[in-house]
Amino acid sequence: MTDSTTELTVDAIEQRIGEFLEAKTKRTWEPDVDLFASGAVTSLFAMELVVFVEGAFGVAVEGPDLAIDNFRTVKSMTVLVTRLRAGGDGA
């Protein structure tokens, strides 16, 4: 499934999220590392992540999708973006 924006592979989405995190935290992140448990991501930074994901990937993160678990790891953010770009609502 595609939308009207540029097609991105799962790997490309994961890479872009990783690059954003690296620029902001000055360290690299494995896809499965819990960003909140690591102490590197605060609730304030979580809002920055939401804004980044929406702007970088042309999606709207609303309602139940704002759950912290969707932003806990690079992998979970990648799954969220992939689903939203495909038009899925998770229901």
Side-chain angles (χ1 to χ4, degrees), residues 21-80:
L21 286 168
E22 185 175 349
K24 293 291 185 175
T25 64
K26 308 299 183 220
R27 63 175 277 199
T28 58
W29 295 94
E30 291 298 318
D32 292 320
V33 170
D34 187 324
L35 302 169
F36 294 96
S38 73
V41 175
T42 63
S43 57
L44 191 58
F45 185 64
M47 291 310 300
E48 203 172 332
L49 280 172
V50 172
V51 171
F52 165 74
V53 165
E54 289 184 326
F57 302 107
V59 297
V61 182
E62 301 170 324
D65 288 328
L66 286 169
I68 196 168
D69 285 342
N70 286 331
F71 295 88
R72 192 169 295 285
T73 67
V74 171
K75 185 168 279 192
S76 62
M77 284 183 270
T78 302
V79 169
L80 174 68

